[in-house]
Amino acid sequence: MIDWRLSDEPVNTANPGEEGLSDEERKNVRCKIFFGYTSNLISAGTREVIRYLFQHSMIDVAVTTAGGIEEDLIKCMADTYMGDFTLSGKVLRQRGLNRIGNMLVPNDNYCKFEDWIMPILDEMLKEQQEDGVVWTPSKMIWRFGKEINNPDSVLYWAYKNQIPIYCPAITDGSIGDMIYFQTFKNPGLILDLVQDIRAMNDEAVCASPSKTGMLICGGGLCKHHICNANLMRNGA
């Protein structure tokens, strides 16, 4: 997928996207790569590998779950520790530790996350009300990447390199908890899912004359969201 160029293919006069392209322009048309990853890959040590892909613009569009967003941010604020799959959940709870498989996250990590994210959500609400900003999950994720301003972060590089990350289940985790808490203190923030599903599907539909490719690590939501978008163009 990375090596493919439009110049590798014979000229297709039936494809309007190819019309008028010079040989040199055809050499510069590359495959549009959709990358899906589940949250456990960010919680685990593979986060650094995923960050590398974003940092070096090796993918063009990404889809993940809520944990894939918040765990990246939380790791910028405090450490996650290696534990064991056999540790007692009851004992861990009593000690203020949360389990992600064989990894341990102290409660204080989530407190730090709350302290960081709540002012951002309030500012987003202010921009919505005063400037008419229409927020979507992908726009929110870019905002988090801007605000975290940490080169260890996947989201930081997504924002810096303008790689969209779609997350239709953005509320299914700690971010959802924070949005819920905000509705009591400062209600009114709206996230437009319709704008994002249009944008996500158009990433595939409007990719021509490029081919599209899919790199999917894990199943469920991220896999289906990418496959469904590419179904709109009869496959990747």
Side-chain angles (χ1 to χ4, degrees):
M1 289 188 291
I2 290 177
D3 292 336
W4 181 88
R5 296 294 183 270
L6 183 60
S7 56
D8 298 336
E9 306 286 334
V11 175
N12 181 3
T13 55
N15 185 352
E18 294 190 38
E19 187 176 356
L21 291 180
S22 67
D23 290 343
E24 193 62 33
E25 288 171 327
R26 290 175 63 85
K27 290 178 183 178
N28 292 325
V29 176
R30 52 188 284 272
C31 182
K32 187 171 191 177
I33 299 176
F34 289 74
F35 175 51
Y37 59 99
T38 47
S39 62
N40 59 307
L41 299 179
I42 293 295
S43 302
T46 44
R47 173 183 180 237
E48 286 69 29
V49 177
I50 293 171
R51 186 203 66 215
Y52 184 92
L53 298 179
F54 281 85
Q55 181 177 352
H56 296 278
S57 298
M58 297 178 74
I59 49 98
D60 301 290
V61 183
V63 178
T64 190
T65 52
I69 304 302
E70 60 201 30
E71 291 296 329
D72 176 63
L73 297 168
I74 292 169
K75 280 192 166 187
C76 293
M77 302 170 195
D79 291 330
T80 297
Y81 299 94
M82 180 69 75
D84 190 277
F85 287 105
T86 62
L87 291 173
S88 166
K90 180 179 180 180
V91 172
L92 291 176
R93 179 67 176 171
Q94 292 169 345
R95 296 182 179 179
L97 296 170
N98 302 274
R99 180 209 301 279
I100 306 176
N102 65 336
M103 294 169 290
L104 305 176
V105 185
N107 285 340
D108 187 56
N109 291 23
Y110 293 100
C111 295
K112 290 177 180 177
F113 180 59
E114 181 176 3
D115 291 341
W116 178 82
I117 199 174
M118 293 308 290
I120 297 173
L121 295 178
D122 289 339
E123 184 62 27
M124 288 172 57
L125 175 58
K126 181 180 179 183
E127 292 173 19
Q128 173 189 299
Q129 294 173 334
E130 296 182 2
D131 303 326
V133 176
V134 178
W135 291 104
T136 66
S138 62
K139 289 179 182 177
M140 171 184 271
I141 291 164
W142 265 358
R143 181 59 169 269
F144 292 160
K146 177 183 178 181
E147 297 290 344
I148 197 65
N149 194 29
N150 186 325
D152 290 336
S153 166
V154 172
L155 302 194
Y156 167 82
W157 289 108
Y159 167 73
K160 191 172 179 65
N161 292 331
Q162 294 295 281
I163 300 169
I165 300 179
Y166 294 97
C167 184
I170 190 72
T171 57
D172 185 32
S174 184
I175 292 174
D177 295 340
M178 300 304 116
I179 294 172
Y180 172 67
F181 297 153
Q182 189 198 32
T183 63
F184 292 96
K185 300 177 181 178
N186 195 10
L189 182 65
I190 298 171
L191 291 178
D192 186 350
L193 285 174
V194 175
Q195 191 175 128
D196 253 12
I197 189 62
R198 174 61 187 262
M200 173 61 187
N201 288 350
D202 280 354
E203 296 281 4
V205 172
C206 302
S208 183
S210 292
K211 285 189 175 182
T212 61
M214 301 186 294
L215 174 61
I216 302 175
C217 300
L221 181 146
C222 64
K223 180 196 74 172
H224 180 266
H225 211 49
I226 290 173
C227 289
N228 191 69
N230 280 275
L231 182 65
M232 301 293 173
R233 57 175 282 125
N234 293 321

